């Protein structure tokens, strides 16, 4: 295997302890319940090291003993699982028409899922509304004796390294210092705040909780007003040099196609984004109307499709073909194991997927589309918020223990 | 920074030694000449560890002392550099019309560069020709008292994990077990053989030796008969789940465009590949003729461009625009710091780049094309072979010492 010029990490004692905590926590997350001996056997760490780390992690309420013992030859072993009871992390999702807040615990259990209709307008209004929801969530979790590790917010647009939003067409935002504004709004009660693109966070959630969990080469295609791709390659999120990777919503598929908010014609978003699908298939609807009608219109479309409306079926097959053209670009360039479709693509998947898969197979250079599968997300349109909550766990999962 | 679900590596003593050798070698490669104290200071390794590793690496003729001492306060320090004298590695490049073989030493010096006209036909003929060249190169290097660490061969097409070639349209190859055939042909003198795609290897060479050396998010677009992209993201080569990443040669840019060997119309290759450029700009030429005419025709075109032929200038601007559309897809999806153009794109760069850059800026969603630069490769059309030679060094560079 050709090695690349990534910087090899020197090993000194402090880093080793942190790294080994991460190894133990990850092993338990993936294989619980498991014994100390199992951890040592699988990870190559020696038993004394494992014992010492497990003692520390139990003391910090990140692991717990279940009291179960395995049926095995020899001395019974106490089994370990992640302890989800002491901490929580928050994720949020800003959409054109709603706010979503979720909380998870370190064991991966969902603690709360809130959706609030909220038309995105001035960033300041969104910051206020989101901060209020976040404060209420923190209060709820604190009352359960949990420490909230942080909040990461998903934005349907470009997010730079400082957590600012240079451009989010779906919200009509340009140059919004979102992370700074949220941190100011949440100084009391002092939650650690991160901001990232919805596409990046959604693919993290898919890799953690979705139908293709654990896949090392995976793409999540967000639906909604803004179509974008989150990419995991070689097991790691592909951010690009400025964090702007995945912006394929304005990939030009048809120069003579419908106009797009980006100024061009026939982009992937203009052909397959939610307003475009509604406009194409429900001609009576004013699809340039307020975003508050998007979800009800999607539901109408869904009902028509489910009840066998031939026009809607044919229209969705057309949209599926356009979607398949976009997916073929991803398959050719990235050769992923799977492309997972989120947002309205997931809702309408049964009527989109056949045409999308067929177009993908026809347009991918590698035989058999290079093995690329296309499936609907199972994360119920909240993959970005779930990914945010997972991201907010990253400090602990990388072996750095929270204060106190 | 959000941590991803890449498997954290446990630290045990054997791996630590190997990893630390890699750290020392990499530091010297990037910062030579440097002292043992410099290595310790920059890498965080303690001085005793560094001393021990340096002694071992000098003994194995991978490092050497230069005898220079720095002007600094205190005791003079002996400086270290990579020792290139003991080893060599080979890279090769199979093209439609030539074979290229290069050798480098571990210090990065080029030891030989051979180009042989050779029309790619039956794979068996190419294997024989390449094996003969490789044997001759090994003989030359062995006569210099060097041990040849291995050979990695670049193919303009898809290469799977076993080193077989499912598809290489540029050569007319399908399902060729190239690595197996080469290994059989080179059993005497027993060179370790690897095979990889030209696009992957070219971007490795760019990252090591090119004008954007060290960039963590970089794309190399090969020219020639087959247009493909090699991608480095987050410092690592992006291979995809089966190694087929980067196959954008058949990205559809214009449904009504010229037909392509892949069966579709208006692909990036059909618009900007070398035969297409010759066909568009030298209409008297039979561009479906033998590939042996490609380089002479390219040279004719180059002369016409250099001497100010207005028709050729206008034609190259058109090609540049199409190229820019393809580069915009890369910029949108990958957000690289730079896209480097190889092959004939590099030769014709002065007349392609202005239109390409302009089209890129217009079609990238992020402002300022997300910072993406477009430049010609400085590696004289042999980036794939150079990348192969670099790849064949990877065992040593990752800290595993060659036998004996």
């Amino acid at each position: 295997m050709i090695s690349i010029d990534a910087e090899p990490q020197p090993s000194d004692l402090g880093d080793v302890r942190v790294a080994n905590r991460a190894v133990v926590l990850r092993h338990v997350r993936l294989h619980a319940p498991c014994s100390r001996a199992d951890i040592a056997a699988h990870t190559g760490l020696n038993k004394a090291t494992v014992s010492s780390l497990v003692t520390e992690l139990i003391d910090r309420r990140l692991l717990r003993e279940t009291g179960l013992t395995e049926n095995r030859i020899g001395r019974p072993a106490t089994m370990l699982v992640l302890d989800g009871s002491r901490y929580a992390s928050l994720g949020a999702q800003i959409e054109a028409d709603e706010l979503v807040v979720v909380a998870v615990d370190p064991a991966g259990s969902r603690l709360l899922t809130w959706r609030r209709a909220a038309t995105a307008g001035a960033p300041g209004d969104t910051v206020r509304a989101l901060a209020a929801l976040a404060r209420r969530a923190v209060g709820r979790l604190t009352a359960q004796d949990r420490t909230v590790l942080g909040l990461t917010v998903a934005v349907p647009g470009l997010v730079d390294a400082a957590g600012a939003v240079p451009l989010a067409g779906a919200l009509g935002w340009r140059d919004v210092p979102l992370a700074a504004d949220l941190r100011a709004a949440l100084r009391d009660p002092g939650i650690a705040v991160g901001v990232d693109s919805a596409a990046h966070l959604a693919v993290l959630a898919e890799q953690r909780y979705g139908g293709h969990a654990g896949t090392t080469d995976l793409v999540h295609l967000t639906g909604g007003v803004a179509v974008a791709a989150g990419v995991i390659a070689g097991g790691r999120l592909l951010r690009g040099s400025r964090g702007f990777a995945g912006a394929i919503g304005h990939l030009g598929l048809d120069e003579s196609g419908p106009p797009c908010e980006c100024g061009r014609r026939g982009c992937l978003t203009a052909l397959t984004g939610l307003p475009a699908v509604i406009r194409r298939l429900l001609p009576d609807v004013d699809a340039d109307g307020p975003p508050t009608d998007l979800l009800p219109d999607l539901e109408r479309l869904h009902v028509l499709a489910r009840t066998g409306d031939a026009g809607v079926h044919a229209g969705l097959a057309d949209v599926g073909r356009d979607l398949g053209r976009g997916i073929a670009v991803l398959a050719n360039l990235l050769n992923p194991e799977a492309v997972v479709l989120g947002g309205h693509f997931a809702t309408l998947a049964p009527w989109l997927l056949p045409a999308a898969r067929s177009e993908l197979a026809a347009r991918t250079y590698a035989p058999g589309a290079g093995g690329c599968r296309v499936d609907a997300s199972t994360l119920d349109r909240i993959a970005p918020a779930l990914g945010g909550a997972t991201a907010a766990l990253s400090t602990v999962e990388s072996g750095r223990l929270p204060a106190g």
Side-chain angles (χ1 to χ4, degrees), chain A residues 213-236:
Chain A
T215 300
T216 53
D217 297 275
L218 180 66
V219 177
H220 179 284
L221 201 56
T222 64
V225 177
V227 177
V231 178
I232 283 178
R236 299 193 318 182

Side-chain angles (χ1 to χ4, degrees), chain A residues 150-161:
Chain A
L151 160 71
T152 294
V153 180
V155 178
L158 303 178
V159 179
D160 67 21

Side-chain angles (χ1 to χ4, degrees), chain A residues 158-178:
Chain A
L158 303 178
V159 179
D160 67 21
V165 181
L167 188 55
L171 308 177
W173 287 5
R174 194 178 277 275
D175 293 321
V176 176
L178 185 65

Side-chain angles (χ1 to χ4, degrees), chain A residues 325-340:
Chain A
R325 291 186 61 185
I327 294 171
V329 175
L330 297 170
N332 276 314
L333 188 48
L334 302 169
N335 183 216
E337 213 172 297
V339 173
V340 179

Side-chain angles (χ1 to χ4, degrees), chain A residues 92-306:
Chain A
Q93 192 169 323
I94 300 172
E95 300 284 359
D97 51 357
E98 65 172 353
L99 293 176
V100 178
V101 172
V102 303
V104 301
D105 73 17
S109 300
R110 188 93 59 83
L111 301 175
L112 62 83
T113 309
W114 293 346
R115 301 181 205 232
R116 292 286 181 277
T119 305
D125 295 338
T126 300
V127 167
R128 261 185 297 279
L130 190 48
L133 270 179
R135 255 182 248 111
R136 201 174 320 149
V138 169
R140 170 80 59 94
L141 298 161
T142 306
Q144 297 169 6
D145 266 332
R146 295 176 182 275
T147 299
V148 177
L149 294 167
L151 160 71
T152 294
V153 180
V155 178
L158 303 178
V159 179
D160 67 21
V165 181
L167 188 55
L171 308 177
W173 287 5
R174 194 178 277 275
D175 293 321
V176 176
L178 185 65
D181 290 350
L182 279 168
R183 285 171 190 142
L186 288 164
R187 208 170 285 126
D188 168 25
I191 308 166
V193 176
V195 177
D196 207 340
S197 85
H200 292 342
L201 293 173
V203 77
L204 286 189
E206 287 294 340
Q207 200 208 31
R208 178 65 65 99
Y209 304 114
H212 290 277
T215 300
T216 53
D217 297 275
L218 180 66
V219 177
H220 179 284
L221 201 56
T222 64
V225 177
V227 177
V231 178
I232 283 178
R236 299 193 318 182
L237 185 66
L238 193 162
R239 294 182 162 283
S241 68
R242 294 187 181 180
F244 301 156
I248 59 151
H250 300 283
L251 188 70
L253 296 182
D254 178 5
E255 302 263 289
S256 53
C260 181
E261 52 100 358
C262 74
R264 288 178 286 274
R265 289 186 156 271
C267 308
L268 185 61
T269 299
L271 290 168
T272 69
L274 179 52
V277 173
I278 289 169
R279 189 180 307 119
R280 284 168 86 166
L281 302 188
L282 297 176
D284 57 315
V285 164
D286 169 20
D288 294 319
T292 45
D293 295 338
L294 289 174
L295 291 181
D297 284 338
L298 173 60
E299 190 47 36
R300 276 183 55 196
L301 206 50
H302 192 201
V303 169
L304 287 168
R306 280 198 324 259

